[in-house]
Amino acid sequence: MEFEFMKSIRREILASLTGFALILFPVKASGQPCSLSMQVSHTAAEQLSLADLDFPNFHSTNLLFTVTFTNKGVVAANASLHLIMDITLAQGSINFPGALDLTTKAFPVPPGGRTITNLNLGPGGDIQTQTYSFSREAKTKIEDIALLTGHMPAGSYNFHIELKELGCATTVNDHVELLLQNPTRVELRSPRDGETTNTFPLFEFYQDGLRAVLTVAEKTPEQTREDAITRKPAMLEIDLSGRNSFLYSGGRPLEDGKTYVWTVVSKVRTAGGSDIDVSSPIGLFSVSGSLQGSGSLNGTVDDALLTQLEEILGSKHHAVFQQIRSGGYHLTSNMSLNDSKLSASQLLDLLIQLRDLSDSIELSFE
């Protein structure tokens, strides 16, 4: 009887200890919420090198993307990343889905979190590679274009990044897309070299980048073009974004009988965050305030204002503007905005701002 009683006591104690073990040493079950989250950002790079993308094999110093991890837990979590890069080249719409595929070994994320970049994945980085592949076809195509042009081919380089937390069933996904423009040339179109213009010339040029700087400077007879364009202060130096034309305004007035030089510099952002300048040739033009064209307004501030209005309102009112020019009409000096008097130059600047917004606002002509 005593023996049976002791066995019963032992069974109850064992059951209690087992219960304590389950409470003190929980196992993270499948489907349990994970502790980690991530946010991915990238640089505004317009040029890359193959070394920037071939993480395990080359040591790059250029920052492409940043991954910020947040750990809501009270202990460090172990994680790994799975990175896939899709490439779509602008040349001939050539696609390489899954061109690069990389999986890292597990790495710790302390409570609170940590931040890594693509530089952590390369040689000497603290995150080691588990598996890695780079499509031979994609790599060969990229190398062939890079050897020919000296630049990585323009196109879309789309990184899909997946975070896996060890012990959790769910994954976290994000992606970044690098759009490479690789601007390589800047071409001046108008005024043509040596042309005589009015006092409000329309500058037209070609450059396939996102940002450019237009500079206009006076040239004296004894100066070379190179000396004149570096003259400070310039007549005009203006940053242009997404534009390939600019009607002269905002600078010092261009004077009748003088000669000027102009140039456009395309600003190309590299993966390292710095700019490379791609410059046009230095153009030359002269100014004549009395220059007449097909209309009596040509060469005056009135014509510059009408040109801006016509560009904003589109071609549907072309006949109206032709009548204004051929009829010799001119603007009065009574110009105002919200009861504040405007000069012709201020009105011209306002119209240029409206033109830049013309894609997002609706304008009417009465």
Side-chain angles (χ1 to χ4, degrees):
M1 189 70 174
E2 181 180 352
F3 177 72
E4 290 297 330
F5 176 75
M6 294 300 294
K7 285 173 57 178
S8 176
I9 293 295
R10 282 197 294 269
R11 280 197 299 269
E12 291 180 11
I13 293 174
L14 182 60
S16 299
L17 290 174
T18 303
F20 275 112
L22 291 174
I23 294 172
L24 294 174
F25 304 104
V27 176
K28 187 173 283 186
S30 176
Q32 183 173 335
C34 298
S35 301
L36 298 182
S37 60
M38 74 172 177
Q39 185 174 5
V40 182
S41 59
H42 66 91
T43 59
E46 295 172 358
Q47 279 194 349
L48 292 177
S49 68
L50 189 58
D52 294 326
L53 302 178
D54 200 359
F55 306 122
N57 297 323
F58 292 94
H59 179 68
S60 172
T61 58
N62 291 329
L63 179 65
L64 295 183
F65 57 81
T66 300
V67 184
T68 301
F69 301 104
T70 301
N71 183 357
K72 297 179 293 185
V74 295
V75 296
N78 289 318
S80 66
L81 288 179
H82 183 205
L83 186 148
I84 295 176
M85 180 179 65
D86 300 329
I87 300 176
T88 302
L89 300 183
Q91 184 185 47
S93 299
I94 302 171
N95 300 315
F96 297 105
L100 182 148
D101 193 308
L102 181 147
T103 302
T104 72
K105 293 183 178 180
F107 56 89
V109 179
R114 66 175 294 192
T115 298
I116 69 167
T117 71
N118 57 289
L119 305 181
N120 292 88
L121 306 178
D126 60 332
I127 298 179
Q128 298 181 341
T129 300
Q130 181 73 42
T131 62
Y132 172 75
S133 64
F134 200 138
S135 164
R136 181 178 295 276
E137 182 184 4
K139 197 170 185 178
T140 300
K141 184 67 176 178
I142 290 172
E143 288 175 339
D144 289 345
I145 296 176
L147 287 173
L148 182 65
T149 64
H151 304 283
M152 287 280 286
S156 168
Y157 296 76
N158 204 333
F159 294 88
H160 303 273
I161 301 175
E162 181 182 70
L163 168 66
K164 295 181 179 180
E165 181 180 347
L166 274 62
C168 283
T170 58
T171 58
V172 181
N173 296 274
D174 204 344
H175 80 281
V176 294
E177 183 178 20
L178 302 180
L179 292 173
L180 297 193
Q181 302 291 330
N182 280 345
T184 56
R185 66 187 178 95
V186 184
E187 178 184 313
L188 303 182
R189 293 181 172 175
S190 179
R192 295 184 302 274
D193 200 54
E195 183 180 358
T196 300
T197 75
N198 59 44
T199 53
F200 291 93
L202 176 64
F203 295 98
E204 295 181 291
F205 52 91
Y206 172 80
Q207 65 99 18
D208 49 8
L210 298 177
R211 298 168 299 136
V213 176
L214 166 67
T215 301
V216 181
E218 182 182 349
K219 179 185 179 301
T220 58
E222 66 275 7
Q223 284 182 312
T224 65
R225 297 189 186 197
E226 290 74 18
D227 290 338
I229 202 65
T230 59
R231 180 174 179 172
K232 299 296 181 183
M235 301 295 293
L236 173 73
E237 190 168 32
I238 185 169
D239 292 333
L240 303 175
S241 296
R243 294 165 58 181
N244 282 339
S245 65
F246 180 77
L247 184 66
Y248 190 86
S249 66
R252 291 152 53 201
L254 302 182
E255 299 181 42
D256 181 20
K258 289 193 174 181
T259 300
Y260 299 92
V261 289
W262 69 294
T263 188
V264 174
V265 177
S266 181
K267 299 289 185 177
V268 182
R269 180 61 53 87
T270 67
S274 59
D275 285 338
I276 294 177
D277 291 346
V278 180
S279 300
S280 72
I282 301 173
L284 181 143
F285 66 95
S286 299
V287 166
S288 173
S290 60
L291 181 67
Q292 296 294 319
S294 57
S296 60
L297 291 176
N298 203 325
T300 69
V301 68
D302 289 2
D303 190 50
L305 292 169
L306 287 174
T307 299
Q308 284 301 312
L309 282 171
E310 189 172 9
E311 186 172 341
I312 291 171
L313 295 169
S315 59
K316 61 182 178 179
H317 300 295
H318 178 68
V320 176
F321 286 101
Q322 286 294 93
Q323 291 175 13
I324 293 173
R325 289 187 173 93
S326 61
Y329 294 98
H330 62 87
L331 297 172
T332 69
S333 58
N334 299 321
M335 296 176 286
S336 64
L337 175 66
N338 296 332
D339 297 326
S340 297
K341 188 174 178 62
L342 289 178
S343 66
S345 178
Q346 289 173 324
L347 179 58
L348 184 59
D349 287 340
L350 178 61
L351 290 177
I352 290 173
Q353 293 179 43
L354 287 174
R355 183 196 64 184
D356 294 341
L357 295 171
S358 60
D359 290 337
S360 57
I361 61 176
E362 185 175 338
L363 300 170
S364 62
F365 181 82
E366 297 180 359

